[in-house]
Amino acid sequence: MRPSEVAAFIMDHKLDFLLLINLDQLEDELVEKFPALA
């Protein structure tokens, strides 16, 4: 989901809770710590 889409999603839904995870960043960190994953 693009950042612009996140804003639209938030505006269109009544949310009690929202958790966003940047999977690209998570993948980069995992590959850095565990090179065999690359």
Side-chain angles (χ1 to χ4, degrees):
M1 185 176 261
R2 296 182 181 121
S4 59
E5 294 172 325
V6 172
F9 181 85
I10 292 169
M11 297 301 289
D12 291 341
H13 297 81
K14 293 183 178 180
L15 303 175
D16 292 329
F17 183 81
L18 178 65
L19 175 66
L20 298 174
I21 299 173
N22 183 337
L23 295 178
D24 290 331
Q25 182 180 354
L26 178 60
E27 179 183 12
D28 291 344
E29 290 177 19
L30 286 173
V31 168
E32 182 179 321
K33 292 179 182 170
F34 306 101
L37 295 174

